[in-house]
Amino acid sequence: MVIISNVDDDLFAFSAKHLQVEFDQIITAEQAKSYKPSLNNFRLAIERIDLPLEQILHVAASVYHDIITAKSLGLSTVWVNRRVGQKGLKTTKSAVTQPDLEVPDLKTLAALSLE
C-alpha cells in the first residue's frame, strides 16, 4: 500500500501516527517537488512501486487531484465518492474522466475485494 499525499514529510509523519497503517511507500509533495494533480507525484510513485501499471490500482477521494491524472498515465482508478447523494454546494463536480469504479467509502471497497 502506497500513499501519495499533498503535504510535506513532517506533516505526514505526524498524521501517520494516527492512521495505524504501515505503508510500503510514502510519496509526499515535498519529495516530488510538486503538488497533485502534477504528473511528477504519480510518476515518482510508479517508479518507486516498480510494478507494471496493470498491477497498480489508484484509490482516491478527488477526481481533480487524483483520478484524472492517474487515468492519463494508464492506471486503474477507484473514486471514493463520500458525497454521493448530497445536494448543494458541497457536491463534487462531474469531470470528463470517469473512474473505473466508484464507491461511497473504503469499507465498501474492502468488501468488494473480498468477493
Side-chain angles (χ1 to χ4, degrees):
M1 192 161 43
V2 176
I3 192 157
I4 307 172
S5 185
N6 262 356
V7 299
D8 62 26
D9 292 338
D10 291 343
L11 181 57
F12 187 80
F14 176 78
S15 300
K17 294 175 189 176
H18 304 286
L19 295 175
Q20 300 177 351
V21 174
E22 191 169 324
F23 296 98
D24 297 306
Q25 293 282 338
I26 298 168
I27 292 91
T28 63
E30 180 179 351
Q31 294 167 24
K33 297 183 180 12
S34 59
Y35 289 93
K36 296 184 294 181
S38 172
L39 291 171
N40 295 337
N41 304 59
F42 292 85
R43 287 181 178 145
L44 180 58
I46 291 167
E47 178 184 311
R48 288 190 185 171
I49 293 168
D50 194 30
L51 288 171
L53 295 181
E54 306 82 48
Q55 293 182 21
I56 300 173
L57 176 64
H58 188 74
V59 179
S62 175
V63 172
Y64 174 76
H65 291 98
D66 289 276
I67 302 299
I68 293 171
T69 308
K71 292 289 287 183
S72 76
L73 291 170
L75 298 175
S76 297
T77 60
V78 175
W79 178 29
V80 181
N81 182 4
R82 294 184 179 102
R83 297 177 179 169
V84 68
Q86 292 184 11
K87 296 180 181 177
L89 296 175
K90 294 185 179 180
T91 58
T92 303
K93 296 179 182 178
S94 60
V96 175
T97 301
Q98 295 299 313
D100 296 299
L101 178 65
E102 180 180 334
V103 295
D105 52 48
L106 291 173
K107 184 177 180 180
T108 302
L109 179 60
L112 288 173
S113 67
L114 296 174
E115 293 178 356

